[in-house]
C-alpha cells in the first residue's frame, strides 16, 4: 500500500525529468543542411539582348566596350601593358582582333589589350556565347571571362569570377572553364574547374559558352557540356553569383600560370580573333 501511496509522486518526478530533457537519451533533429535552389530548367531567349557581331571597321564599338589599361602584373605577375590602342584591339573583316606584341611600353616589354563591358553590358544570369580563335605559343594566356561589376561582397575572390575560356600556350588545345569564390579559388587549390582538349584551338574558331542561372554555372565548348558548378545554398562565400557581372576579353603574357613553363619571345605578335559575342537573357520562371 505504501508503494501505491507514493506512486503519483514518483510518476510526477519522472514526468518533470523527462520534460527537462535531462536523462532523455533520444536526441532531437539535427540542423537542416543548407539547400540550393531548385533547378527550374531555365531557358534563354532566342534573340541576343546584347551582342557585337564586329561587322564594322576600326576600334571596338565604344558603346559596348571599354578598356582596362596599365601594367603592374594584374595580380598574377603578368608581363604585358594593356593599352587602348588600335594596334592591340581592332575590328576588320567581320572580327575583333586582340593582339599581344613584343614592344616596350612604360615598364613592360609587351603590350596587349583587355576589353571590358563594365558599365556598357552588365548582366545577372543569361547565356554567354563567344566564338573565338586562340593564340598559340609558350607564354600566351588568353581569356574570355567575367567579373562582378559592383564587388558587393568585397574584393577578389569574395565577389566571384567566372572563366568561360582560359588557355595557356604551353598546354596547347587544352581549354579550362572555371569559377572562383571565397571558398573555392585557385590560390587555395579549391577552385571549381574542368578542362577539355579540343582540336585546333588556335587555327579554327570554336564556340565557348556559359549558361548562368540561379541554380548553376554550366560551361560548354562547341555545345559539348564540359563544366558545372551548382549553387549549394551556403551564401556568398560559396555562391556570390547573384549580382551583375560583365565580360572581359584579353591576352595576358606570361604570369604565374601563362609563364609557368617559360616564354617563347620569338612568337610575337600573336592574336585572338573573335567572330562574335552574344548574350541571351534568361527566361525567368
Amino acid at each position: 500500500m505504501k508503494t501505491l501511496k507514493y506512486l503519483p509522486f514518483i510518476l510526477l518526478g519522472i514526468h518533470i525529468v523527462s520534460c527537462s530533457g535531462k536523462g532523455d537519451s533520444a536526441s532531437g533533429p539535427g540542423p537542416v543542411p543548407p539547400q540550393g535552389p531548385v533547378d527550374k530548367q531555365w531557358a534563354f531567349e532566342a534573340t541576343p539582348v546584347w551582342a557585337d557581331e564586329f561587322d564594322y571597321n576600326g576600334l571596338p564599338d565604344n558603346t559596348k566596350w571599354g578598356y582596362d589599361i596599365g601594367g603592374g602584373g594584374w595580380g598574377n605577375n603578368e608581363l604585358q601593358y594593356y593599352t587602348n590602342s588600335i594596334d592591340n584591339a581592332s575590328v576588320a573583316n567581320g572580327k575583333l582582333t586582340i593582339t599581344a606584341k613584343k614592344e616596350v611600353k612604360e615598364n613592360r616589354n609587351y603590350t596587349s589589350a583587355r576589353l571590358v563591358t563594365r558599365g556598357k553590358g552588365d548582366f545577372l544570369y543569361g547565356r554567354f556565347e563567344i566564338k573565338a580563335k586562340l593564340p598559340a605559343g609558350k607564354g600566351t594566356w588568353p581569356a574570355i571571362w567575367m567579373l562582378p561589376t559592383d564587388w558587393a561582397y568585397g574584393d577578389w575572390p569574395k565577389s566571384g569570377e567566372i572563366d568561360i575560356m582560359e588557355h595557356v600556350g604551353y598546354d596547347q588545345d587544352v581549354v579550362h572553364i572555371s569559377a572562383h569564390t571565397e571558398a573555392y579559388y585557385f590560390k587555395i587549390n579549391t577552385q571549381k574547374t574542368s578542362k577539355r582538349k579540343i582540336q585546333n584551338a588556335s587555327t579554327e574558331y570554336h564556340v565557348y559558352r556559359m549558361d548562368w542561372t540561379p541554380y548553376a554555372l554550366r560551361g560548354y565548348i562547341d555545345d559539348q557540356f564540359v563544366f558545372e558548378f551548382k549553387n549549394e545554398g551556403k551564401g556568398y562565400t560559396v555562391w556570390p553569383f547573384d549580382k551583375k557581372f560583365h565580360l572581359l576579353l584579353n591576352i595576358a603574357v606570361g604570369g604565374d600560370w601563362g609563364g609557368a613553363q617559360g616564354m617563347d619571345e620569338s612568337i610575337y605578335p600573336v592574336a585572338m580573333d573573335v567572330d562574335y559575342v552574344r548574350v541571351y537573357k534568361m527566361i525567368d520562371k
Side-chain angles (χ1 to χ4, degrees), residues 74-76 78 114 141 145-163 166 178-192 236-237 240-241 245-246 248 256-257:
W74 296 93
N76 302 298
E78 298 164 26
R114 178 157 132 168
W141 182 3
W145 52 307
M146 303 182 74
L147 283 175
T149 296
D150 299 316
W151 300 92
Y153 298 120
D155 57 5
W156 192 92
K158 294 178 181 178
S159 291
E161 174 182 324
I162 302 169
D163 297 321
E166 286 185 285
S178 310
H180 303 278
T181 72
E182 184 175 357
Y184 301 122
Y185 72 104
F186 76 93
K187 290 191 177 180
I188 58 174
N189 203 33
T190 57
Q191 74 271 22
K192 297 295 185 176
Y236 84 86
T237 61
F241 305 114
F245 277 60
H246 60 273
L248 301 92
D256 296 337
W257 191 16

Side-chain angles (χ1 to χ4, degrees), residues 123-125 148-150 152-153 159 212 240-245:
F123 312 99
L124 175 60
Y125 311 128
T149 296
D150 299 316
Y153 298 120
S159 291
W212 171 23
F241 305 114
D242 57 355
K243 304 293 183 184
K244 287 186 176 182
F245 277 60

Side-chain angles (χ1 to χ4, degrees), residues 218-278:
R218 294 186 173 109
Y220 302 78
I221 303 173
D222 296 328
D223 292 327
Q224 298 298 307
F225 176 65
V226 175
F227 169 84
E228 182 175 64
F229 174 27
K230 295 179 182 177
N231 183 351
E232 300 170 11
K234 296 179 180 177
Y236 84 86
T237 61
V238 169
W239 185 267
F241 305 114
D242 57 355
K243 304 293 183 184
K244 287 186 176 182
F245 277 60
H246 60 273
L247 283 160
L248 301 92
L249 307 174
N250 68 283
I251 303 175
V253 178
D256 296 337
W257 191 16
Q261 294 190 18
M263 294 285 300
D264 182 353
E265 297 185 356
S266 69
I267 61 175
Y268 293 88
V270 297
M272 175 165 69
D273 292 329
V274 182
D275 184 42
Y276 61 75
V277 178
R278 297 171 183 167

Side-chain angles (χ1 to χ4, degrees), residues 53-125:
E53 302 292 331
F54 304 114
D55 52 358
Y56 53 93
N57 294 314
L59 287 166
D61 183 346
N62 63 11
T63 68
K64 296 177 179 179
W65 301 100
Y67 302 84
D68 283 338
I69 295 176
W74 296 93
N76 302 298
N77 297 306
E78 298 164 26
L79 304 179
Q80 78 287 337
Y81 188 99
Y82 285 131
T83 81
N84 59 357
S85 168
I86 198 168
D87 293 334
N88 296 113
S90 61
V91 178
N93 302 313
K95 64 183 179 181
L96 164 71
T97 299
I98 295 175
T99 304
K101 305 176 71 176
K102 191 175 188 306
E103 61 179 357
V104 175
K105 177 72 173 179
E106 297 197 12
N107 60 340
R108 298 283 148 175
N109 292 322
Y110 298 87
T111 62
S112 186
R114 178 157 132 168
L115 297 182
V116 301
T117 66
R118 182 178 57 247
K120 303 169 188 283
D122 304 285
F123 312 99
L124 175 60
Y125 311 128

